[in-house]
Amino acid sequence: MDTEAKSPIDSELINSNNLVERKLVYASFWERVFSRLIDSILLGIFQFILFTILNTDPNNRVGYGMLLSFLVYFPLMEWKGGTLGKQAIGLITLDIKTKMTPSFGQALRRSLFLIGPIFLISFLAIPIILIFPNNNIVASASFTIIGLAMLCFLVGAPLAVLWTQFRQGWHDKFADIIVVTRKSYFIEEKIQQEQKFTYQCIHCNYEGDVDFIYCPECGKNDAGELSNKSKP
């Protein structure tokens, strides 16, 4: 049985000597829920103040708020490594291939995956209204189906974190993004830096980052005379 698919730990050798094992801890479902909750509260407060100052029509505030959130806030913040909610919980967003923060294009694609279908499904209501302007039963049934489809998508996208290999939502997979704990990421970055090897000649104590046969300082080459040690 393949246990790696169920593990929250990503094990990956990160140096050619196979001496350091990198372990990235993927964000849990509830960590991501709480981070999104924090983002929603902060965005709600900000948008309320902004739209009040701009005297925006209350009927348009939801649409403008979604555009502001998914086309500006989320792409920019994820591009920099994570939203304010993720930072508060201690999470960071990474490119699944490079293990570095994602490009802006990836972050935007991730957001568009969530907001795009919502608007697409909403636009389906327009032909229904035009075709059946006076048929309340057909309109109600159609809106119910559209609403259920939208609900399934909005719930299914983040719930995929519970069963996917790298704890990715559908939007994460679409953008090749993973979400891990900041602690595991930065600890491993520190380990990777500290475990770089320095080669030392025991005759003259010359040190170099690259292994050498003849010492560049004293020129000696005795078998077993060269040793390596970890940088402090």
Side-chain angles (χ1 to χ4, degrees):
M1 180 180 296
D2 186 5
T3 58
E4 289 187 5
K6 298 180 180 180
S7 174
I9 303 297
D10 180 26
S11 298
E12 176 185 356
L13 295 175
I14 59 172
N15 70 68
S16 58
N17 295 322
N18 294 345
L19 293 172
V20 181
E21 187 177 10
R22 181 171 191 162
K23 296 181 180 179
L24 293 177
V25 180
Y26 297 110
S28 69
F29 173 76
W30 288 112
E31 285 176 326
R32 297 183 63 163
V33 168
F34 287 131
S35 70
R36 183 54 61 94
L37 179 61
I38 293 173
D39 285 325
S40 298
I41 293 173
L42 294 177
L43 282 170
I45 295 173
F46 172 75
Q47 291 173 10
F48 174 79
I49 296 173
L50 177 64
F51 294 150
T52 300
I53 294 174
L54 297 177
N55 196 25
T56 307
D57 185 346
N59 295 324
N60 298 327
R61 290 187 178 186
V62 174
Y64 290 154
M66 291 183 66
L67 291 174
L68 182 62
S69 299
F70 287 93
L71 297 184
V72 180
Y73 174 75
F74 286 113
L76 287 176
M77 295 301 294
E78 301 291 10
W79 176 37
K80 296 300 182 180
T83 61
L84 295 176
K86 283 187 174 67
Q87 293 178 36
I89 298 297
L91 306 178
I92 186 171
T93 304
L94 301 175
D95 183 317
I96 192 172
K97 297 176 182 177
T98 66
K99 300 300 189 295
M100 303 295 288
T101 52
S103 66
F104 179 76
Q106 284 179 286
L108 181 61
R109 193 161 74 241
R110 183 175 185 263
S111 292
L112 289 177
F113 183 86
L114 289 175
I115 194 173
I118 294 176
F119 281 100
L120 178 62
I121 293 173
S122 300
F123 286 142
L124 293 177
I126 297 176
I128 295 173
I129 295 174
L130 295 176
I131 297 173
F132 305 101
N134 300 318
N135 195 324
N136 294 331
I137 296 177
V138 173
S140 298
S142 300
F143 292 150
T144 300
I145 294 173
I146 292 174
L148 289 174
M150 186 183 300
L151 180 63
C152 289
F153 176 79
L154 291 176
V155 172
L159 278 180
V161 172
L162 294 173
W163 62 77
T164 52
Q165 180 178 3
F166 302 112
R167 291 190 173 179
Q168 292 173 291
W170 294 343
H171 52 312
D172 298 321
K173 281 182 168 292
F174 184 71
D176 291 326
I177 281 176
I178 54 175
V179 181
V180 304
T181 62
R182 296 178 67 88
K183 181 178 180 180
S184 69
Y185 178 72
F186 286 109
I187 284 178
E188 294 304 330
E189 287 296 306
K190 182 178 179 181
I191 291 176
Q192 184 179 5
Q193 294 173 3
E194 291 179 348
Q195 292 294 331
K196 290 181 179 178
F197 281 80
T198 295
Y199 294 86
Q200 182 182 46
C201 173
I202 63 173
H203 294 290
C204 64
N205 293 325
Y206 170 83
E207 293 184 351
D209 291 333
V210 181
D211 194 2
F212 47 83
I213 298 176
Y214 292 92
C215 175
E217 186 70 23
C218 66
K220 293 185 178 180
N221 175 30
D222 296 327
E225 295 294 320
L226 298 178
S227 62
N228 56 19
K229 66 178 183 178
S230 297
K231 286 185 177 180

